[in-house]
Amino acid sequence: MDPRSPPPGDGRLTPADLRLWAVLGLALVFLALAALFLAAPALGALIYGVPAPEGIGRTALRAIGARDAALALYLAGLALFSTRRAVAIVLAASLVIPACDLVLILSAGTAAWWQVALHGVSAGVLALTALWLARRNHSA
């Protein structure tokens, strides 16, 4: 067996595999969030759970947009050109994002319950998708 090839049962996602479309859907969601934070930072702040800052503070919101765009591109690129194991690892590692976001908005004390829930749901979706991809048997 060639050491550069993916291990058996851990190959690439194919168009027939629902997991490919789930990951591409997640990538699309993160790309839409990125566009929102880059184009309308005040609305992004509302969704994120912090007051909309003025001036240079908007730069931090746009940085969130850039982060989300990068995550979308990582996920799409890996889903299309790498192994499902690689996608699962990146999704699992990406749990740092909603975890840190939760800490930040909770420490700010400005988030409504639905904003906290949104970050919690985000973490749950990333974790469940990573676990789904990590399973050798891809049945739902």
Side-chain angles (χ1 to χ4, degrees):
M1 175 200 250
D2 183 355
R4 293 170 293 171
S5 65
D10 201 27
R12 296 176 190 260
L13 295 168
T14 65
D17 191 336
L18 183 59
R19 295 175 297 183
L20 171 67
W21 301 105
V23 173
L24 292 177
L26 270 177
L28 221 76
V29 168
F30 282 108
L31 205 53
L33 283 170
L36 174 70
F37 274 92
L38 291 168
L43 184 54
L46 172 68
I47 292 169
Y48 187 83
V50 295
E54 294 299 321
I56 195 74
R58 290 188 180 244
T59 301
L61 293 174
R62 288 191 171 105
I64 291 170
R67 173 198 73 182
D68 287 348
L71 178 58
L73 295 174
Y74 298 153
L75 291 176
L78 286 170
L80 293 169
F81 302 109
S82 190
T83 64
R84 65 180 175 80
R85 183 177 182 193
V87 181
I89 290 168
V90 168
L91 281 168
S94 297
L95 285 168
V96 168
I97 295 170
C100 289
D101 289 347
L102 274 169
V103 169
L104 290 170
I105 66 167
L106 290 172
S107 65
T110 57
W113 69 268
W114 65 270
Q115 293 159 322
V116 173
L118 190 63
H119 292 288
V121 167
S122 176
V125 168
L126 290 175
L128 290 173
T129 307
L131 289 171
W132 186 30
L133 282 159
R135 290 183 52 154
R136 286 195 188 278
N137 177 358
H138 68 273
S139 60

